[in-house]
Amino acid sequence: MSALSTTASISSKPVPHGAPSPLVQRLGVLPMPNLEWTPEVERETAHIYARVQHVIPSVEWPFHAPYIAAINRLKKERNAVILAHNYQTPEIFHGVADIVGDSLQLARKATEVDADIIVQCGVHFMAETSKLLNPEKTILIPDTRAGCSLAASITGADVRLLKQRYPGVPVVTYVNSSADVKAETDVCCTSSNAVQIVESLGVDRVIFLPDEYLGKYVASKTKVKLILWKDHCEVHERFSGEELRAYREADPSIEIIAHPECPPDVLAEADFTGSTAHMIDWVKTGNHKRVLMVTECSMASNVAAEAPEVDFIRPCNLCPHMKRITLPKILDSLVYLRDEVIVDPAIADKARASVERMIALGR
Ligand code: SF4
């Protein structure tokens, strides 16, 4: 089946810059902190630098550290927490995040957070998911342009057309999708639990959206027949089996681990395939010497910071959407309270139900 549409679907509306938002009117703007590199900042951030010294050169630290110190102070002042996806850069992931993980871990942890404000360091659909699960909390995203090519490949209207074409067939949707699409979905999944979710429905056929390669991987692990949407993650689809064979020829001792969003010829070369969380577990629990990590570039850096004994080879494909989130933008988010993510109430309840079903099935 070919994709019916490639129209982007952004269902939540960030508060525009300019006029003070209701949130700013209620909580106010804070003074911009001093951002000089001082002995005090150096002392305050020394324990963080000890963790990231393998992946952040010392010459860069005086640029990051004043932001990290200021953001960590402002979080307390605002009663805010920072959720950061594994694909965030090490200075964010290790420097200011309170909760880190893949999409499923962040979705679960978002429901346990005891704070007024969540700053989502990830892409827009992740901030929407946090809002769905925390309707009473304020969700901020430091850059509203942090989208996702995969999430933008399908709309709620497309899903309604698919449901007309395959009446009665349940829809399983990867969380990398807009709230608009989640609202048309029976149950969401992540790359960690996709096989389990598909099989939990007890049917012989499901519509699986929107990542075709993840769908093919799931199809290889189950007897359930999957109706797929032909779109891919623009980061993972750039890897190729040929590239991995070249690495293996240069060093036959390397172990290759890959994310299931990669094309089938890449997964055929991998010694282990798993979600970002599963890859981290695999690296930390085994006795591995040289590992080629086939996923987004910062994820490999973040794991490398925690497993300095492993020699990582990182064929670097960056997600340009994730990289829109930076320390200066996170600081602005906390100072100016922008940008608030609000999900359209007309779709929020249905979208929330599909995420909550996934979380319940995973327990
Ligand atoms: S890595 Fe791929 S799926 Fe994840 S946010 Fe970037 S484009 Fe979307």
Side-chain angles (χ1 to χ4, degrees), residues 85 87 103 122-126 146-152 174 176 211 232-237 259 261 295-296 317-323:
H85 189 265
Y87 295 174
S103 304
V123 295
H124 195 269
F125 72 78
M126 294 176 179
C148 166
S149 58
L150 185 60
Y174 194 22
N176 298 23
D211 190 302
H232 314 119
C233 160
E234 68 177 85
V235 175
H236 290 93
E237 74 175 351
H259 193 278
E261 286 175 11
T295 186
E296 206 273 347
N317 283 351
L318 282 169
C319 172
H321 312 291
M322 290 279 184
K323 292 328 176 254

Side-chain angles (χ1 to χ4, degrees), residues 126-140:
M126 294 176 179
E128 277 190 333
T129 306
S130 290
K131 184 63 184 175
L132 291 173
L133 296 173
N134 294 275
E136 309 303 326
K137 290 187 170 42
T138 299
I139 311 296
L140 301 176

Side-chain angles (χ1 to χ4, degrees), residues 280-348:
I280 291 170
D281 285 349
W282 184 90
V283 167
K284 285 184 173 171
T285 53
N287 179 22
H288 307 292
K289 303 261 181 312
R290 290 201 89 200
V291 174
L292 176 71
M293 202 172 228
V294 189
T295 186
E296 206 273 347
C297 198
S298 293
M299 151 104 183
S301 298
N302 290 328
V303 179
E306 292 188 37
E309 68 285 359
V310 179
D311 180 14
F312 284 99
I313 304 160
R314 293 172 252 168
C316 209
N317 283 351
L318 282 169
C319 172
H321 312 291
M322 290 279 184
K323 292 328 176 254
R324 285 191 180 276
I325 308 295
T326 61
L327 288 174
K329 289 179 190 171
I330 297 168
L331 184 66
D332 277 2
S333 224
L334 286 164
V335 168
Y336 301 110
L337 296 169
R338 64 190 189 210
D339 278 306
E340 186 174 8
V341 174
I342 298 167
V343 179
D344 183 347
I347 60 168

Side-chain angles (χ1 to χ4, degrees), residues 168-188:
V169 179
V171 178
V172 176
T173 301
Y174 194 22
V175 283
N176 298 23
S177 54
S178 66
D180 181 35
V181 167
K182 288 185 175 83
E184 298 296 334
T185 291
D186 291 284
V187 56
C188 285

Side-chain angles (χ1 to χ4, degrees), residues 21 23 31 51 56 80 117 136 143 151 198 258 281 285 312 324:
S21 66
L23 183 65
R51 290 179 66 197
I56 299 182
I117 296 173
E136 309 303 326
D143 189 330
V198 163
D281 285 349
T285 53
F312 284 99
R324 285 191 180 276

